[in-house]
Every structure is written in structure tokens, then in C-alpha cells.
Amino acid sequence: MEKFLYLAINLFTISFPLIRSFEPKIRFASKWVALFPAILLTAAFFLIWDHWFTVIGVWEFNPRYLVGLYLLQMPLEEWLFFFTVPFACVFIYEVLIYFFPKDHFKTAGKYFLFLMIPILLLLAFIHLDKLYTSVNFLIGAVALGLHWVIFKDKYLGRFFFAYLVHLIPFIICNGILTGGLTDEAVVIYNNQENLGIRIWTAPIEDTIYSMTLLLMNVSLFEYFRSRKTIQETISY
């Protein structure tokens, strides 16, 4: 049964948000028209990146915990990751907006962005010899910069709040994937390509990788949602 571990993590990740999508208060299902394009576009970017890093050996996948279906040298479970995790993360984002309608983290989100961009750029250039660190931090800095150029601080506080909250399930799931509860890791990292600093058993770089994944999904989700709102207003 261990070969279903990564698949089970994917299914567990999406199960509660999917079931609660039809809850009448949050009405998450009604927002899928904006969510799915955001997930697809973000997944396309990350899958290209993921494939590159898989081919050159930045990370690999343990067949012991996989069902054995591969596409472009990546297991089915890894493909699903870029759909199940964003779905769950944007669900968290929307739930927090519902329960905390006031954007309490708007100022903090702006400070977070202006602090993170130079730090990420500095670390990226200091560690050019470590691909996961340098590429990951560079892309994270660019994503934050583009978000600011396009949206300014409109969604930053809500993104920052969601990012902080999502770190709890993120650390749990990522810890399991990197060997926190199993004999071997599901996702095996080449430590020559990262800083070697771990949160539980996951590389610290994963926190930035997850930040970029969430930020791109939220940015595109809000973009498509605003377009839908404008179109509905015009039609009336």
C-alpha cells in the first residue's frame, strides 16, 4: 500500500476544500471560473520548471511511494500536486477573506514584499552554485515584483495572511514527502543544489517555492475574477 502514499497526500490535500466548495457561505464553487484558469497557467509554468529540475537531478522521486505512471519523466502524483495544492491554498485564501473581511495585514504585506525582494535577490546571487536556491529565490523575487507592478498592495495583505496560515499544512505535508514519517523520502533532493537547511525534513527553499506557487495562483485568480466582475457589470 505504500506505493499510494504520494497519491493519498494529493487526495487528502484536496478532499476537504472540494467537499466544502459548495458550502453556501463561502460559495467557493462559484469562483471556479476564475480559479481554474489561474491553476492551469500556474501549473504550466511550474511543470516546465519541475521537469527541468527533474532531468538535471536537482530532485528525484522515490518509486517506492508512487503508483508508477509517468509523463515527461515525472510521476502522475507530481502532476497532480500542482492542481491539488493550489486548489486547497486558494480555498484557504477565500476562507480567510470570509472570516476576516477587513484586510488587517495590508501594511504588513507591503513590508513583507519590500523586505523579501532584496533578500531573495541577494541570496540568489550569493548562491549561484546551488540551482534550487538561486533559481527558486530569483523566481520568487520576480513574482513578488510583478505582483506589485500589476496590483500594488491591493491583495498583498490577504496573500500574506493566507501564506502564513498555509505554512501549517505545508510543513506537515512537505515533511511527509521528504521522509519525516517514512523510511525514505518520497521526493529526494540533491543537497548540493540547496542550502542544506531543513524545516523538519524539507529544504528551507520549499517555503519560497510554495510562496511563489501561492502568489501566482492568487494573482491570476484575482485577475480573472476582476475581469469576470467587469464583464458582468457591462452586461447589465
Side-chain angles (χ1 to χ4, degrees):
M1 293 296 292
E2 63 183 12
K3 70 177 182 178
F4 295 104
L5 177 59
Y6 196 178
L7 180 62
I9 291 172
N10 271 302
L11 295 177
F12 176 77
T13 298
I14 200 173
S15 58
F16 182 80
L18 185 60
I19 292 170
R20 300 297 292 180
S21 289
F22 303 94
E23 200 275 335
K25 292 182 180 179
I26 300 170
R27 299 178 63 248
F28 191 56
S30 68
K31 300 158 188 173
W32 287 358
V33 67
L35 175 64
F36 290 158
I39 290 178
L40 285 171
L41 287 173
T42 305
F45 174 81
F46 272 86
L47 284 166
I48 293 170
W49 179 5
D50 202 306
H51 179 259
W52 173 37
F53 272 16
T54 301
V55 169
I56 64 177
V58 174
W59 51 53
E60 60 182 298
F61 306 96
N62 192 338
R64 177 179 175 181
Y65 302 108
L66 306 173
V67 297
L69 298 176
Y70 290 81
L71 179 62
L72 298 177
Q73 298 173 275
M74 295 187 299
L76 168 67
E77 295 88 342
E78 184 73 356
W79 285 76
L80 291 175
F81 176 91
F82 295 107
F83 296 91
T84 60
V85 170
F87 186 94
C89 287
V90 178
F91 177 79
I92 291 173
Y93 173 82
E94 283 293 294
V95 167
L96 291 174
I97 290 175
Y98 176 79
F99 285 105
F100 302 92
K102 184 177 179 180
D103 189 356
H104 295 283
F105 289 87
K106 188 170 185 177
T107 301
K110 186 161 57 175
Y111 287 140
F112 172 79
L113 181 141
F114 287 129
L115 181 65
M116 287 299 295
I117 289 177
I119 289 176
L120 291 174
L121 288 175
L122 178 62
L123 290 173
F125 285 108
I126 289 176
H127 298 288
L128 288 174
D129 59 322
K130 302 180 186 300
L131 272 179
Y132 187 30
T133 305
S134 58
V135 173
N136 183 28
F137 287 3
L138 178 60
I139 291 175
V142 170
L144 287 169
L146 286 175
H147 182 92
W148 176 258
V149 168
I150 297 171
F151 298 110
K152 298 300 186 224
D153 61 350
K154 189 174 182 181
Y155 307 112
L156 268 179
R158 299 194 183 281
F159 158 73
F160 179 60
F161 190 17
Y163 175 67
L164 291 177
V165 172
H166 111 289
L167 285 175
I168 299 170
F170 160 79
I171 290 172
I172 295 171
C173 291
N174 230 35
I176 296 172
L177 287 174
T178 51
L181 298 178
T182 52
D183 296 335
E184 301 171 359
V186 179
V187 182
I188 303 168
Y189 289 84
N190 178 355
N191 286 330
Q192 293 183 341
E193 304 294 352
N194 61 63
L195 294 174
I197 302 171
R198 300 268 170 159
I199 298 177
W200 191 9
T201 51
I204 195 169
E205 286 87 350
D206 280 2
T207 60
I208 304 303
Y209 187 87
S210 186
M211 178 202 76
T212 308
L213 180 64
L214 175 58
L215 180 63
M216 287 183 64
N217 274 285
V218 166
S219 299
L220 289 168
F221 170 65
E222 290 291 7
Y223 169 74
F224 287 121
R225 175 154 64 175
S226 64
R227 284 193 59 186
K228 181 177 181 292
T229 302
I230 292 171
Q231 290 172 353
E232 289 176 348
T233 302
I234 293 173
S235 66
Y236 284 114

